[in-house]
Amino acid sequence: MLLCRSSTCFAPSFNAKTSQNLCSYFTKKTQLVSFSKNSPIFCSYSYLFAKPVKDSNFIGAHNLLMKKKATFCNSAISATSRSDEKAVGGNVVSKRLKKKVRRDAPEGVLRFKLDMCSKAGDVVEGLRLYDEARRNGVELNQHHYNVMLYLCSQNGGENGSDLKLICKRGFEIFQQMIIDKVPPNEATFTNAARLASVMEDPEMAFDLVKQMKGFGIMPKLRSYGPPLFGFCKNGMVDKAYEVDAHMIESGVVAEEPELSSLLKISADINNADKVYELLHRLRTSVRQVMESTVRVIEDWFKSEHAAKTGKENWDVIKVKEGVVRGGGGWHGQGWLGHGQWRVVRTQMNKKGVCGSCGERLACIDIDPRETENFAISLSKLAFGREVQADFIQFQEWLQQHGPFDAVIDGANVSLINQQTFNFSQLNTVVNRLQDTSPSKKLPLVILHKSRVNGGPAQSPYNKKLLERWKNSGALYATPAGSNDDWYWLYAAVSCRCLLVTNDEMRDHLFQLLGTSFFPRWKEKHQVRLSVSRSGIALHMPPPYSIVIQESENGGWHVPNNHRR
């Protein structure tokens, strides 16, 4: 999307296509939408923006928590959670038998049945089981209560009376949990907040979230959804901003749904400064936005208030200094230009040149301090999941043999389009990277020990390859029981070099790394590989950053990830 006024063209949004074929990610043109005053152009999937230059009955549980923090006992929840030293007939109960005992106990049977209700969304059966358990004196624990709260918060019934009844039962269950001194956790409060949201009471939902810290519980992003979306839906701008501030204070990073809601409500009240702030928060944490968010952004730039907002004259030097200070792609000096915005959907070519305004998007630098901090946090995570001595040994080895110009995820590269481990394919990539390396140094190949010592590695040809890499200090075999992902990622980050892998790094391990820095690092350092009849192709990082960018002349390019 491109936005400009009069003589200035701004390209705020472009769309990077995603594909199962990693090659196409870098070869296909990025799409944009461009907006201009006199000649709007609409292509698919992206945008560019530019301006020319010149209920009270259910408050019981809520009030109970508001008055005073409850004191909870630490007594055992059920007899099935006793020590591993429990014995039967003089023999220590095996883990398998103890698991069976827990499963067959009334508490275990109830847990299983409630989990099935949760899976099926059957709140009626869940309530029946809950009532039956209480009549029979079954001792309910935190999990039982949380499942019931979840069921009540997710099932509003088919009509208003059902909704009111189910929510009433949900609050009664929440209150009973407190009375029984069953310690709540984050899920407890979040589900209670969802109940309040179903009753269209975002105030209560927010109060519940604020009480979490008093119980030593840190809210999660999902905890803030009920109050934030409720306030935004009701147009309660100040309260929505208060929730946002509480999130920031708690160290919770808003993602696209939250930022998009805040953006819309800010645009609706013509809060230009807040819109500007939120666009930059989208830039840093989301990068490519969904079509629904693009429409919110488009509505803002088409508004009369947006046309009236902006400086007609600005300090060009300060703007340039802001771009340099930020690493390129944005200046942070506020809205520039005055007049109607031009909005155009357009495309970016493979060099990052906008098809509407002709501006080339920046390749945004990564702050070296961010990279260093990222390497430190990465090693801490690895220490918690790998044998610490093994990973320290790797760090020392890397310090002795590095730095490298490239690191290869050996297992991933060797198995692309292959049924078996292909050392010849891996060797081709090694030689290609060495030839293109400024230092002509071999890249570092990371392989698990089992790949180096067994299977195809035993053939004479592959033995020679491995010996060559090992003698050159370009092969590291990760120890048995380790996850080689930690090793090749840490090596690439600490050496600040290219990483060759088709691993999209989306699993739980990489989710631990957060959503801000890691995507930016991948964009600038990950090399993907394609294998076809014509041979092996390496697809280098794009020459520009696929992220929301703010031009020195006041324009915006906004990438649209329409397939997300």
Side-chain angles (χ1 to χ4, degrees), residues 12-16 25 256 259 279-290 293-294 297 362-366 515-524 542 544-549 557-561 564:
S13 117
F14 53 88
N15 180 318
Y25 181 84
E256 184 170 356
L259 293 175
L279 281 174
H280 277 289
R281 288 172 65 182
L282 282 167
R283 174 185 62 79
T284 57
S285 62
V286 179
R287 303 172 71 75
Q288 301 179 67
V289 298
M290 295 182 293
T293 304
V294 169
I297 297 172
C363 183
I364 301 172
D365 295 334
I366 295 177
T515 58
S516 178
F517 178 84
F518 192 41
R520 288 186 287 135
W521 183 90
K522 281 203 305 178
E523 181 184 86
K524 292 180 69 67
Y544 61 97
S545 295
I546 304 172
V547 60
I548 295 174
Q549 296 199 23
H557 290 81
V558 179
N560 177 7
N561 192 356
R564 269 176 29 197

Side-chain angles (χ1 to χ4, degrees), residues 456-475:
Q458 294 302 306
S459 76
Y461 172 77
N462 293 337
K463 277 186 176 181
K464 287 183 180 179
L465 286 179
L466 291 167
E467 196 64 28
R468 174 189 170 227
W469 299 339
K470 184 177 180 180
N471 292 338
S472 300
L475 172 67

